[in-house]
Amino acid sequence: MFYYISGALAMKGEGYVVIDANGIGYKILTSLYSIEKLSNTGEVKMYTYMYLREDICDLYGFASEEELNMFTLLISVSGIGPKAAVAILSTMSPSDVALAIVSGDTKAITRAQGVGPKVAQRILLELKDKIKNEQMLSGAVSGDDTVPVSFGVSNEAVEALCVLGYSSAEAKHALSGIDMSMDLELIIKEALKKLMK
C-alpha cells in the first residue's frame, strides 16, 4: 500500500516510531537497528510494509530498502511472522543476516529473542534455496557474464547481496575490484558502499 513514508520524527518508542507526515502520525513498527539509524531531528524516511491478517493491520517500516527486502524475505519463510523477523533484524544488520544465511550460521540467528535452532534452520534452508533460484533466473535473464567472479568467498558474497534484493549481475559488478582476501563481511560491506552510491 505505502512504499515509504517521510516526515518529521515525532516519537521513538520500544519497537516503533511515529512519523508526522502532513499532520498525520503514522505508528511504524520497526527494528532496533532502524531506530538507531534514524536521526532525532529533521525529516526521516521509512520504507514500509503493510501486514494484514483477519484481525491484524500493522504497518512495519525500515530505515533502508535493504532492511525492508530482508524483512519480506524472512516473513516468506513458513512459520516466521513479522515479530520474529523484526527480532532478527534488531540483533543483526541486513548484511549480517545475509551472511549468516549463505554461510549456514544458525547460532547468529538464534541470538534473536524467540528464535530457536529449529526456526533458524528453517530460515537457512528456505532462503538459501530462494537465493539460488533468484541467481539462476537473474543470470538467465541478464546473460551478463562480463564480470568474472571466482568460486568460494566471492560466490558467498554474491548470494548475500542477492538476499538484500540486488540482482546477480549487480552483485558481481559491485564485487569487481574488491580485495577477495578480506573477511566475507568486509567484502559485503565494501560492495554495499558501491551499490548505494
Side-chain angles (χ1 to χ4, degrees), residues 44-174:
V44 296
K45 180 188 280 189
M46 295 284 279
Y47 296 91
T48 57
Y49 180 94
M50 181 71 78
Y51 183 75
L52 294 169
R53 289 295 178 269
E54 288 177 11
D55 56 345
I56 301 169
C57 179
D58 287 331
L59 185 61
Y60 287 84
F62 304 93
S64 69
E65 288 179 277
E66 288 78 20
E67 195 174 2
L68 175 62
N69 289 337
M70 181 57 70
F71 173 80
T72 55
L73 268 176
L74 287 168
I75 64 172
S76 74
V77 175
S78 56
I80 304 296
K83 287 182 182 176
V86 166
I88 292 167
L89 291 167
S90 289
T91 57
M92 305 168 74
S93 69
S95 59
D96 288 339
V97 178
L99 182 59
I101 290 166
V102 298
S103 62
D105 187 357
T106 55
K107 284 187 179 177
I109 295 173
T110 56
R111 283 198 285 267
Q113 188 176 358
V115 178
K118 286 183 180 178
V119 172
Q121 194 63 46
R122 194 182 315 133
I123 289 169
L124 298 187
L125 288 170
E126 290 192 31
L127 293 187
K128 203 158 193 179
D129 288 345
K130 278 190 179 182
I131 297 159
K132 285 177 183 171
N133 289 338
E134 280 177 24
Q135 276 188 279
M136 286 171 67
L137 286 169
S138 61
V141 171
S142 68
D144 183 9
D145 296 322
T146 57
V147 183
V149 177
S150 59
F151 291 107
V153 173
S154 54
N155 278 347
E156 289 188 0
V158 170
E159 287 183 6
L161 292 168
C162 287
V163 170
L164 297 173
Y166 297 102
S167 71
S168 182
E170 286 173 324
K172 288 176 184 178
H173 186 72

Side-chain angles (χ1 to χ4, degrees), residues 175 177-182 187:
L175 290 167
I178 293 175
D179 179 6
M180 289 295 151
S181 65
M182 296 190 298
I187 291 168

